[in-house]
Amino acid sequence: MTLTYFELKRFIKNPKNKICLAILVLFFLVLFGFNQLSVNQQFKTMTLASTTTNLQQTKQSVAAIKTQVASAPEDTMLAKQLILSQEQEKMLSEQLKALTADDLDRFATLAYEADLAALKSGDMAGSDDDQNRLNSSNYYLAVKAVGGKMGLMANDAADASFKTGSAILHWLSATTLLVLITVLISDVVSSDIESSQIRFYQLIGGRKFRQLVLKLLLPIGVVGVVTVLTFAGIYLISGLLNGFGTWHYPYSLSDGSIFSIWQLSLKSLGLFLVSLLFIGSLGQLLSLIFKKSLVVIGLIVVCLTGFLTLEREVWFQPFKKFIPFEYLGYGRLINDIKILPDHFLLIGVVYLAGLSLIFLSISAYLYHQYYYRKVGKL
C-alpha cells in the first residue's frame, strides 16, 4: 500500500504529468464548447439555407408544371407530377417554418413523413436512396419509441445523455488524444532510468514484477478516472443547458443497425482502458530497450501518425484489420464495419490485451536483468 501511494504521488506531482492532465481535461472541454456553440449552429444555418433553396426551386418547378398542365389538360402524367410537386412544396414550407421556430422535432417528423411516402410509392425500390430512407425511418421510430426528441438528422440530439455518449464514442478515438495519452503514460520507466531513481528500488527489496505492474496500472487508472470525471462534468453542464434526456437514446451505425447510446458509451470506455493498457505496456517495453523518454514517445507517435496516414489509402484497407492501432478506439471501428470481421470489438480487446501481456512479460524480464547488470558494474 505504501508503494502504491508513493508511485501515485510521484506520478501526479510530476510537472509534465500535471500539464498533460490539464491539457486532457481542457481538450474535452474545448471540444464540448466548440460543438455546443459553433458546430450545431453552423449545421442549423446550412440546413436552413438548403431548405430555403429547395423550397424556392420547388415553387419554380410547380409554376412551370402548372403552365404545362394548362396547355395540355388531358396529360395525366403532368397532372400527377403537379400533385407530387405541390405536396413537396407544402412539406418544404412546413419544414422551413419548423426550422425558423427552432422546432427540430417537427422538422424531423416532416422528413420522416416524406421518406415514408417515398418508400410507399416504390419508385426507387432497391436503390441506395431507398435504403437510406428506410434506415432514416427506422431510426426515427427508434427515437420515438424511447420518448426522445429528434435533431436535424440521425445521430443528432441536444439531450445531455446523447451528447455525452456521442462524445465518448468519437473523442476517445481522436488522434490528438492518443498522442496525449502516449506522452502521459508511456515513459514512466524511462523517466526513472534517466533520473537514476530506478536504483533506489534496491532499498525496498529490489525491482519486482509488482512494481512494474504498478508503474503501468497507476497512470492508466489516473487517466481513466480523470477522463470519466471530465465526461461526468460535461454531462451535468449539458444537462443543465439542454436537459438530461435518456441514456436509451438510439444511435445508428453506418450499416443501419441501431444501439442505445449507453451501450456504445460503455463499449467505448472499455476499449479505451484496454487501449491505455496497450500504449502503456508498449511504452514500458520501449523504455527498457532505449531508456530515453523522448525516443519512446517519438516512436509510438510516429507509429500512430504513420498508421493514421496510411489508413486513408485504398491499397491499405485490406491490411488495417491486422494492425493493432486500428483497434485504439470504438469510434474508429464502427466506421470500418465493412472491412472488419464479425465480433470486431471482442477481437480488438483480445488482440490488444494479448499484445499487452506479451509486452509486459518481456518488460519484466528486461527490468530484472537491468537490475543485475547494474549491480555487476558496482
Side-chain angles (χ1 to χ4, degrees):
M1 192 66 184
T2 302
L3 180 61
T4 302
Y5 176 75
F6 172 72
E7 290 291 351
L8 179 61
K9 189 175 179 180
R10 281 187 62 206
F11 179 79
I12 294 177
K13 284 194 170 185
N14 185 296
K16 183 265 291 181
N17 293 338
K18 285 182 180 180
I19 293 172
C20 287
L21 287 172
I23 294 175
L24 177 66
V25 175
L26 188 63
F27 173 78
F28 291 131
L29 293 178
V30 168
L31 282 178
F32 169 70
F34 178 72
N35 186 67
Q36 189 78 17
L37 300 175
S38 180
V39 175
N40 290 345
Q41 187 58 43
Q42 287 180 4
F43 188 67
K44 181 183 175 182
T45 302
M46 290 171 58
T47 305
L48 185 61
S50 63
T51 303
T52 302
T53 301
N54 290 337
L55 178 58
Q56 291 172 348
Q57 292 175 346
T58 304
K59 285 181 176 180
Q60 294 172 358
S61 176
V62 168
I65 296 173
K66 279 183 178 180
T67 303
Q68 293 176 355
V69 169
S71 61
E74 72 285 351
D75 193 330
T76 56
M77 292 297 295
L78 275 177
K80 182 180 179 181
Q81 187 178 356
L82 176 61
I83 293 173
L84 292 175
S85 296
Q86 288 174 330
E87 289 177 352
Q88 185 179 13
E89 179 186 358
K90 182 180 178 181
M91 185 270 294
L92 288 171
S93 179
E94 291 294 325
Q95 281 190 322
L96 187 59
K97 290 179 182 178
L99 282 174
T100 305
D102 203 26
D103 189 352
L104 303 185
D105 196 57
R106 173 62 178 163
F107 175 85
T109 300
L110 290 167
Y112 165 73
E113 292 173 353
D115 288 338
L116 203 60
L119 288 170
K120 287 181 178 179
S121 69
D123 292 337
M124 303 183 71
S127 65
D128 289 340
D129 287 339
D130 191 69
Q131 185 61 49
N132 290 335
R133 287 193 180 97
L134 181 60
N135 292 341
S136 297
S137 300
N138 290 337
Y139 181 77
Y140 177 87
L141 294 175
V143 172
K144 292 304 175 182
V146 299
K149 292 183 178 181
M150 285 286 294
L152 286 172
M153 58 183 295
N155 298 335
D156 176 44
D159 294 342
S161 54
F162 182 83
K163 284 292 185 185
T164 307
S166 181
I168 291 172
L169 177 63
H170 295 289
W171 297 353
L172 294 186
S173 303
T175 306
T176 304
L177 177 66
L178 295 176
V179 171
L180 181 60
I181 294 302
T182 297
V183 176
L184 255 173
I185 68 174
S186 64
D187 67 334
V188 176
V189 173
S190 58
S191 296
D192 280 355
I193 294 174
E194 284 182 303
S195 63
S196 298
Q197 293 187 28
I198 194 170
R199 62 192 177 90
F200 291 113
Y201 284 97
Q202 184 178 0
L203 301 176
I204 55 175
R207 288 186 300 280
K208 300 178 181 178
F209 180 69
R210 70 184 185 92
Q211 294 167 359
L212 192 66
V213 172
L214 267 180
K215 289 179 175 295
L216 176 63
L217 296 184
L218 281 177
I220 292 174
V222 171
V223 173
V225 168
V226 169
T227 300
V228 171
L229 289 178
T230 304
F231 277 116
I234 288 173
Y235 173 65
L236 291 174
I237 295 171
S238 183
L240 293 174
L241 293 174
N242 306 308
F244 290 96
T246 172
W247 281 97
H248 290 285
Y249 200 99
Y251 189 98
S252 177
L253 301 186
S254 58
D255 62 350
S257 56
I258 298 173
F259 296 91
S260 295
I261 194 64
W262 71 265
Q263 293 177 299
L264 300 183
S265 299
L266 286 181
K267 290 178 181 178
S268 299
L269 286 171
L271 186 58
F272 176 65
L273 293 177
V274 177
S275 299
L276 295 182
L277 180 65
F278 170 78
I279 293 175
S281 59
L282 176 60
Q284 274 193 345
L285 177 59
L286 295 177
S287 293
L288 288 160
I289 294 174
F290 297 101
K291 304 176 181 66
K292 295 290 183 181
S293 298
L294 290 178
V295 174
V296 173
I297 293 171
L299 283 173
I300 299 178
V301 170
V302 167
C303 290
L304 274 172
T305 53
F307 171 78
L308 294 171
T309 300
L310 288 175
E311 73 166 348
R312 301 176 183 177
E313 301 293 334
V314 176
W315 64 268
F316 190 67
Q317 300 304 307
F319 305 102
K320 287 174 65 174
K321 59 186 176 183
F322 302 109
I323 311 298
F325 296 108
E326 166 71 3
Y327 300 92
L328 299 180
Y330 192 62
R332 183 190 311 282
L333 294 180
I334 63 174
N335 289 329
D336 291 335
I337 289 178
K338 295 181 180 179
I339 64 172
L340 291 174
D342 295 335
H343 310 294
F344 56 83
L345 178 60
L346 178 60
I347 291 173
V349 169
V350 172
Y351 190 16
L352 295 180
L355 288 175
S356 299
L357 183 60
I358 293 173
F359 294 156
L360 184 59
S361 300
I362 299 174
S363 296
Y365 174 78
L366 295 176
Y367 195 57
H368 187 71
Q369 291 299 110
Y370 180 78
Y371 168 76
Y372 281 106
R373 285 201 304 270
K374 280 293 183 182
V375 169
K377 291 181 180 181
L378 292 175

